[in-house]
Amino acid sequence: MIVHLFSGKLRFLEGTPRSIWLSAAGGISVSYVFLHILPELARGQSIIEDAIASPLQILEHHAYLIALLGLIVFYGLERIAKVSRARQRHVDGNDRPSAGVFWLHLASFLVYNALVGYLLVNDVQSASELGFFFFAMALHFLVTDYGLREHYKEQYATLGRWLLAVAVLAGWMVGCVIELPELAKSLLVAALAGGIILNVLKEELPEERQSRFSAFLLGALAYAALLLAV
């Protein structure tokens, strides 16, 4: 919640070329996905395979399909935001997407953040896991927050960041009183994995970002080494 509420005050993250801190944060987030969340997907795959009687049996053998769908959804929303932003700029010189696109994009991140808050309670088994999860997701929120702020500017600063902060709290509160079945939890983790991969890479890959590969690499390798050591 603190990341969303106060990241806008970190002025040193702004500008081009991209801040080395944002690139390093992206590397850490991706490292966490590949070394922790994707192995969780493998465990979730076995849970899905065992749930033959479930109404979701059509997804048997397809935990990774859910991760792909998560990636596709967020990629589609990003493209919608960019197209709307370009159209508005052409029509009236307003360099931000339309209000409808803002709410659609924000709604997806509300669900995304609520899921992270929920998993804080119901998918972390130890204090060390909690620490790694918190650190990786806090830095990931820093990266996504920067992208949303760039798209929506004052719309995000005055309203969006507050709603996203509340979504994390809401997800945590739900997790405190409701524990979903393992099958549903595995599907949610899969969707989160796809979303994280896309939301990091969409910020790092565009050429106009002038991203810092060395910082991205250092962040990924250092966090990978730490995860493997522990």
Side-chain angles (χ1 to χ4, degrees):
M1 292 175 67
I2 289 172
V3 170
H4 284 305
L5 294 179
F6 296 105
S7 65
K9 298 185 180 300
L10 303 177
R11 300 300 182 187
F12 63 88
L13 297 179
E14 299 176 356
T16 302
R18 187 171 177 80
S19 166
I20 60 173
W21 302 108
L22 283 176
S23 290
I28 289 171
S29 301
V30 168
S31 179
Y32 185 78
V33 168
F34 278 90
L35 292 181
H36 184 81
I37 294 185
L38 290 187
E40 280 284 301
L41 250 64
R43 185 180 69 85
Q45 177 64 50
S46 64
I47 293 172
I48 293 173
E49 290 175 357
D50 292 339
I52 303 301
S54 167
L56 296 175
Q57 63 181 13
I58 191 173
L59 299 176
E60 183 183 3
H61 308 303
H62 293 298
Y64 293 96
L65 175 62
I66 303 300
L68 175 62
L69 289 175
L71 187 150
I72 290 172
V73 166
F74 278 97
Y75 177 67
L77 290 168
E78 181 68 14
R79 288 299 306 160
I80 290 172
K82 286 188 174 182
V83 170
S84 177
R85 186 177 175 183
R87 184 181 297 119
Q88 291 293 112
R89 191 185 305 122
H90 178 73
V91 171
D92 58 11
N94 188 4
D95 187 28
R96 68 181 183 189
S98 66
V101 171
F102 168 72
W103 284 109
L104 177 64
H105 208 175
L106 187 67
S108 69
F109 274 96
L110 290 175
V111 175
Y112 187 80
N113 280 22
L115 174 56
V116 170
Y118 175 85
L119 293 176
L120 273 171
V121 184
N122 286 302
D123 194 55
V124 178
Q125 305 300 324
S126 66
S128 62
E129 281 191 24
L130 179 62
F132 283 119
F133 185 81
F134 163 75
F135 188 66
M137 291 300 99
L139 292 180
H140 176 57
F141 281 171
L142 190 66
V143 173
T144 58
D145 193 271
Y146 180 84
L148 289 170
R149 191 179 303 276
E150 185 179 42
H151 270 319
Y152 300 108
K153 300 176 176 60
E154 65 270 15
Q155 281 179 302
Y156 183 77
T158 57
L159 179 62
R161 65 191 178 104
W162 292 96
L163 293 178
L164 291 185
V166 170
V168 178
L169 177 63
W172 176 79
M173 293 175 66
V174 170
C176 288
V177 296
I178 299 175
E179 184 171 0
L180 296 174
E182 284 296 315
L183 174 61
K185 194 187 302 181
S186 298
L187 296 176
L188 292 177
V189 170
L192 179 65
I196 292 174
I197 292 172
L198 187 279
N199 283 314
V200 171
L201 295 184
K202 77 178 177 61
E203 294 294 328
E204 289 295 321
L205 293 183
E207 184 176 352
E208 66 270 14
R209 298 282 196 212
Q210 297 184 30
S211 299
R212 310 294 189 103
F213 175 72
S214 58
F216 182 89
L217 178 64
L218 182 61
L221 293 181
Y223 206 64
L226 185 60
L227 286 170
L228 292 174
V230 174

